[in-house]
PDB file of all heavy atoms in Angstrom:
ATOM      1  N   GLY W 504     -29.512  23.389 -12.169  1.00 97.00           N
ATOM      2  CA  GLY W 504     -29.321  24.603 -12.955  1.00 97.00           C
ATOM      3  C   GLY W 504     -28.106  25.411 -12.542  1.00 97.00           C
ATOM      4  O   GLY W 504     -28.008  26.605 -12.820  1.00 97.00           O
ATOM      5  N   CYS W 505     -27.165  24.762 -11.870  1.00 98.00           N
ATOM      6  CA  CYS W 505     -25.908  25.444 -11.558  1.00 98.00           C
ATOM      7  C   CYS W 505     -25.139  25.593 -12.868  1.00 98.00           C
ATOM      8  O   CYS W 505     -25.361  24.859 -13.822  1.00 98.00           O
ATOM      9  CB  CYS W 505     -25.090  24.625 -10.574  1.00 98.00           C
ATOM     10  SG  CYS W 505     -26.027  24.137  -9.112  1.00 98.00           S
ATOM     11  N   MET W 506     -24.235  26.555 -12.928  1.00 98.00           N
ATOM     12  CA  MET W 506     -23.462  26.792 -14.143  1.00 98.00           C
ATOM     13  C   MET W 506     -21.983  26.701 -13.803  1.00 98.00           C
ATOM     14  O   MET W 506     -21.512  27.446 -12.939  1.00 98.00           O
ATOM     15  CB  MET W 506     -23.785  28.185 -14.704  1.00 98.00           C
ATOM     16  CG  MET W 506     -25.184  28.288 -15.255  1.00 98.00           C
ATOM     17  SD  MET W 506     -25.310  27.240 -16.749  1.00 98.00           S
ATOM     18  CE  MET W 506     -27.048  27.473 -17.113  1.00 98.00           C
ATOM     19  N   VAL W 507     -21.285  25.810 -14.496  1.00 97.00           N
ATOM     20  CA  VAL W 507     -19.875  25.615 -14.164  1.00 97.00           C
ATOM     21  C   VAL W 507     -19.004  25.873 -15.385  1.00 97.00           C
ATOM     22  O   VAL W 507     -19.463  25.758 -16.524  1.00 97.00           O
ATOM     23  CB  VAL W 507     -19.620  24.200 -13.599  1.00 97.00           C
ATOM     24  CG1 VAL W 507     -20.571  23.905 -12.430  1.00 97.00           C
ATOM     25  CG2 VAL W 507     -19.740  23.118 -14.665  1.00 97.00           C
ATOM     26  N   GLU W 508     -17.757  26.216 -15.131  1.00 96.00           N
ATOM     27  CA  GLU W 508     -16.883  26.481 -16.272  1.00 96.00           C
ATOM     28  C   GLU W 508     -16.597  25.172 -17.011  1.00 96.00           C
ATOM     29  O   GLU W 508     -16.607  24.102 -16.412  1.00 96.00           O
ATOM     30  CB  GLU W 508     -15.587  27.167 -15.821  1.00 96.00           C
ATOM     31  CG  GLU W 508     -14.690  26.336 -14.935  1.00 96.00           C
ATOM     32  CD  GLU W 508     -13.319  26.982 -14.770  1.00 96.00           C
ATOM     33  OE1 GLU W 508     -12.525  26.865 -15.720  1.00 96.00           O
ATOM     34  OE2 GLU W 508     -13.043  27.591 -13.721  1.00 96.00           O
ATOM     35  N   PRO W 509     -16.347  25.270 -18.315  1.00 94.00           N
ATOM     36  CA  PRO W 509     -16.258  24.047 -19.129  1.00 94.00           C
ATOM     37  C   PRO W 509     -15.139  23.103 -18.697  1.00 94.00           C
ATOM     38  O   PRO W 509     -15.252  21.896 -18.914  1.00 94.00           O
ATOM     39  CB  PRO W 509     -16.022  24.565 -20.552  1.00 94.00           C
ATOM     40  CG  PRO W 509     -15.933  26.040 -20.470  1.00 94.00           C
ATOM     41  CD  PRO W 509     -16.296  26.491 -19.105  1.00 94.00           C
ATOM     42  N   ALA W 510     -14.085  23.630 -18.066  1.00 93.00           N
ATOM     43  CA  ALA W 510     -13.009  22.737 -17.630  1.00 93.00           C
ATOM     44  C   ALA W 510     -13.553  21.646 -16.717  1.00 93.00           C
ATOM     45  O   ALA W 510     -13.041  20.535 -16.678  1.00 93.00           O
ATOM     46  CB  ALA W 510     -11.924  23.535 -16.897  1.00 93.00           C
ATOM     47  N   LEU W 511     -14.624  21.959 -15.986  1.00 94.00           N
ATOM     48  CA  LEU W 511     -15.173  20.984 -15.045  1.00 94.00           C
ATOM     49  C   LEU W 511     -15.863  19.820 -15.737  1.00 94.00           C
ATOM     50  O   LEU W 511     -16.100  18.780 -15.146  1.00 94.00           O
ATOM     51  CB  LEU W 511     -16.137  21.667 -14.075  1.00 94.00           C
ATOM     52  CG  LEU W 511     -15.432  22.487 -12.989  1.00 94.00           C
ATOM     53  CD1 LEU W 511     -16.410  23.416 -12.299  1.00 94.00           C
ATOM     54  CD2 LEU W 511     -14.760  21.567 -11.994  1.00 94.00           C
ATOM     55  N   ALA W 512     -16.208  20.012 -16.994  1.00 91.00           N
ATOM     56  CA  ALA W 512     -16.800  18.908 -17.737  1.00 91.00           C
ATOM     57  C   ALA W 512     -15.711  18.005 -18.308  1.00 91.00           C
ATOM     58  O   ALA W 512     -15.961  16.863 -18.656  1.00 91.00           O
ATOM     59  CB  ALA W 512     -17.685  19.434 -18.855  1.00 91.00           C
ATOM     60  N   LYS W 513     -14.493  18.537 -18.370  1.00 84.00           N
ATOM     61  CA  LYS W 513     -13.392  17.777 -18.973  1.00 84.00           C
ATOM     62  C   LYS W 513     -12.491  17.139 -17.930  1.00 84.00           C
ATOM     63  O   LYS W 513     -11.885  16.116 -18.161  1.00 84.00           O
ATOM     64  CB  LYS W 513     -12.514  18.715 -19.830  1.00 84.00           C
ATOM     65  CG  LYS W 513     -13.215  19.267 -21.047  1.00 84.00           C
ATOM     66  CD  LYS W 513     -12.207  20.006 -21.931  1.00 84.00           C
ATOM     67  CE  LYS W 513     -12.846  21.210 -22.617  1.00 84.00           C
ATOM     68  NZ  LYS W 513     -12.409  22.486 -22.020  1.00 84.00           N
ATOM     69  N   ASP W 514     -12.390  17.789 -16.756  1.00 66.00           N
ATOM     70  CA  ASP W 514     -11.446  17.332 -15.738  1.00 66.00           C
ATOM     71  C   ASP W 514     -11.564  15.843 -15.467  1.00 66.00           C
ATOM     72  O   ASP W 514     -12.616  15.253 -15.592  1.00 66.00           O
ATOM     73  CB  ASP W 514     -11.704  18.066 -14.418  1.00 66.00           C
ATOM     74  CG  ASP W 514     -11.146  19.471 -14.425  1.00 66.00           C
ATOM     75  OD1 ASP W 514     -10.212  19.718 -15.199  1.00 66.00           O
ATOM     76  OD2 ASP W 514     -11.641  20.316 -13.667  1.00 66.00           O
ATOM     77  N   ASN W 515     -10.467  15.309 -15.012  1.00 64.00           N
ATOM     78  CA  ASN W 515     -10.404  13.943 -14.526  1.00 64.00           C
ATOM     79  C   ASN W 515     -11.545  13.725 -13.518  1.00 64.00           C
ATOM     80  O   ASN W 515     -11.679  14.415 -12.521  1.00 64.00           O
ATOM     81  CB  ASN W 515      -9.007  13.791 -13.910  1.00 64.00           C
ATOM     82  CG  ASN W 515      -8.948  12.766 -12.813  1.00 64.00           C
ATOM     83  OD1 ASN W 515      -9.751  11.848 -12.777  1.00 64.00           O
ATOM     84  ND2 ASN W 515      -7.971  12.925 -11.950  1.00 64.00           N
ATOM     85  N   ALA W 516     -12.360  12.741 -13.795  1.00 58.00           N
ATOM     86  CA  ALA W 516     -13.579  12.546 -13.009  1.00 58.00           C
ATOM     87  C   ALA W 516     -13.309  12.201 -11.549  1.00 58.00           C
ATOM     88  O   ALA W 516     -14.152  12.378 -10.696  1.00 58.00           O
ATOM     89  CB  ALA W 516     -14.421  11.447 -13.657  1.00 58.00           C
ATOM     90  N   GLU W 517     -12.131  11.704 -11.247  1.00 61.00           N
ATOM     91  CA  GLU W 517     -11.843  11.241  -9.888  1.00 61.00           C
ATOM     92  C   GLU W 517     -11.499  12.390  -8.941  1.00 61.00           C
ATOM     93  O   GLU W 517     -11.711  12.303  -7.748  1.00 61.00           O
ATOM     94  CB  GLU W 517     -10.629  10.286  -9.894  1.00 61.00           C
ATOM     95  CG  GLU W 517     -10.785   9.101 -10.811  1.00 61.00           C
ATOM     96  CD  GLU W 517     -11.961   8.220 -10.427  1.00 61.00           C
ATOM     97  OE1 GLU W 517     -12.059   7.872  -9.236  1.00 61.00           O
ATOM     98  OE2 GLU W 517     -12.783   7.916 -11.300  1.00 61.00           O
ATOM     99  N   GLY W 518     -10.914  13.438  -9.511  1.00 83.00           N
ATOM    100  CA  GLY W 518     -10.241  14.400  -8.660  1.00 83.00           C
ATOM    101  C   GLY W 518     -11.141  15.364  -7.923  1.00 83.00           C
ATOM    102  O   GLY W 518     -12.261  15.656  -8.335  1.00 83.00           O
ATOM    103  N   ALA W 519     -10.623  15.867  -6.797  1.00 93.00           N
ATOM    104  CA  ALA W 519     -11.325  16.899  -6.053  1.00 93.00           C
ATOM    105  C   ALA W 519     -10.971  18.245  -6.657  1.00 93.00           C
ATOM    106  O   ALA W 519      -9.889  18.439  -7.181  1.00 93.00           O
ATOM    107  CB  ALA W 519     -10.881  16.862  -4.600  1.00 93.00           C
ATOM    108  N   VAL W 520     -11.915  19.183  -6.604  1.00 96.00           N
ATOM    109  CA  VAL W 520     -11.652  20.544  -7.073  1.00 96.00           C
ATOM    110  C   VAL W 520     -12.149  21.517  -6.020  1.00 96.00           C
ATOM    111  O   VAL W 520     -13.019  21.188  -5.212  1.00 96.00           O
ATOM    112  CB  VAL W 520     -12.376  20.862  -8.406  1.00 96.00           C
ATOM    113  CG1 VAL W 520     -11.725  20.128  -9.563  1.00 96.00           C
ATOM    114  CG2 VAL W 520     -13.864  20.532  -8.326  1.00 96.00           C
ATOM    115  N   GLN W 521     -11.580  22.714  -6.056  1.00 97.00           N
ATOM    116  CA  GLN W 521     -12.162  23.776  -5.243  1.00 97.00           C
ATOM    117  C   GLN W 521     -13.003  24.651  -6.150  1.00 97.00           C
ATOM    118  O   GLN W 521     -12.502  25.154  -7.156  1.00 97.00           O
ATOM    119  CB  GLN W 521     -11.077  24.617  -4.575  1.00 97.00           C
ATOM    120  CG  GLN W 521     -11.686  25.651  -3.622  1.00 97.00           C
ATOM    121  CD  GLN W 521     -10.712  26.737  -3.196  1.00 97.00           C
ATOM    122  OE1 GLN W 521     -10.638  27.787  -3.827  1.00 97.00           O
ATOM    123  NE2 GLN W 521      -9.971  26.471  -2.126  1.00 97.00           N
ATOM    124  N   PHE W 522     -14.275  24.802  -5.839  1.00 97.00           N
ATOM    125  CA  PHE W 522     -15.070  25.824  -6.507  1.00 97.00           C
ATOM    126  C   PHE W 522     -14.744  27.097  -5.733  1.00 97.00           C
ATOM    127  O   PHE W 522     -15.026  27.177  -4.530  1.00 97.00           O
ATOM    128  CB  PHE W 522     -16.575  25.542  -6.399  1.00 97.00           C
ATOM    129  CG  PHE W 522     -17.085  24.386  -7.223  1.00 97.00           C
ATOM    130  CD1 PHE W 522     -16.246  23.631  -8.034  1.00 97.00           C
ATOM    131  CD2 PHE W 522     -18.447  24.057  -7.194  1.00 97.00           C
ATOM    132  CE1 PHE W 522     -16.732  22.567  -8.793  1.00 97.00           C
ATOM    133  CE2 PHE W 522     -18.949  23.007  -7.953  1.00 97.00           C
ATOM    134  CZ  PHE W 522     -18.086  22.253  -8.740  1.00 97.00           C
ATOM    135  N   GLU W 523     -14.166  28.052  -6.400  1.00 97.00           N
ATOM    136  CA  GLU W 523     -13.687  29.231  -5.689  1.00 97.00           C
ATOM    137  C   GLU W 523     -14.802  29.890  -4.878  1.00 97.00           C
ATOM    138  O   GLU W 523     -15.926  30.032  -5.347  1.00 97.00           O
ATOM    139  CB  GLU W 523     -13.095  30.240  -6.682  1.00 97.00           C
ATOM    140  CG  GLU W 523     -11.861  29.655  -7.350  1.00 97.00           C
ATOM    141  CD  GLU W 523     -10.886  30.717  -7.819  1.00 97.00           C
ATOM    142  OE1 GLU W 523     -10.783  31.774  -7.164  1.00 97.00           O
ATOM    143  OE2 GLU W 523     -10.235  30.476  -8.844  1.00 97.00           O
ATOM    144  N   ARG W 524     -14.465  30.204  -3.655  1.00 96.00           N
ATOM    145  CA  ARG W 524     -15.344  30.857  -2.691  1.00 96.00           C
ATOM    146  C   ARG W 524     -16.466  29.947  -2.173  1.00 96.00           C
ATOM    147  O   ARG W 524     -17.284  30.389  -1.373  1.00 96.00           O
ATOM    148  CB  ARG W 524     -15.956  32.149  -3.266  1.00 96.00           C
ATOM    149  CG  ARG W 524     -14.900  33.175  -3.680  1.00 96.00           C
ATOM    150  CD  ARG W 524     -15.489  34.409  -4.320  1.00 96.00           C
ATOM    151  NE  ARG W 524     -16.329  35.149  -3.417  1.00 96.00           N
ATOM    152  CZ  ARG W 524     -17.552  35.575  -3.726  1.00 96.00           C
ATOM    153  NH1 ARG W 524     -18.063  35.320  -4.916  1.00 96.00           N
ATOM    154  NH2 ARG W 524     -18.261  36.243  -2.850  1.00 96.00           N
ATOM    155  N   GLN W 525     -16.507  28.670  -2.639  1.00 97.00           N
ATOM    156  CA  GLN W 525     -17.617  27.799  -2.248  1.00 97.00           C
ATOM    157  C   GLN W 525     -17.195  26.626  -1.384  1.00 97.00           C
ATOM    158  O   GLN W 525     -17.901  26.274  -0.448  1.00 97.00           O
ATOM    159  CB  GLN W 525     -18.292  27.203  -3.494  1.00 97.00           C
ATOM    160  CG  GLN W 525     -18.684  28.199  -4.538  1.00 97.00           C
ATOM    161  CD  GLN W 525     -20.036  28.799  -4.263  1.00 97.00           C
ATOM    162  OE1 GLN W 525     -20.594  28.621  -3.181  1.00 97.00           O
ATOM    163  NE2 GLN W 525     -20.581  29.512  -5.211  1.00 97.00           N
ATOM    164  N   GLY W 526     -16.104  25.996  -1.758  1.00 97.00           N
ATOM    165  CA  GLY W 526     -15.728  24.797  -1.029  1.00 97.00           C
ATOM    166  C   GLY W 526     -15.067  23.800  -1.953  1.00 97.00           C
ATOM    167  O   GLY W 526     -14.707  24.118  -3.086  1.00 97.00           O
TER     168      GLY W 526
END
Side-chain angles (χ1 to χ4, degrees):
C505 308
M506 291 292 177
V507 307
E508 65 169 283
L511 284 165
K513 294 188 214 106
D514 282 336
N515 152 25
E517 304 299 311
V520 288
Q521 185 194 92
F522 288 0
E523 295 206 33
R524 301 177 64 229
Q525 309 275 11

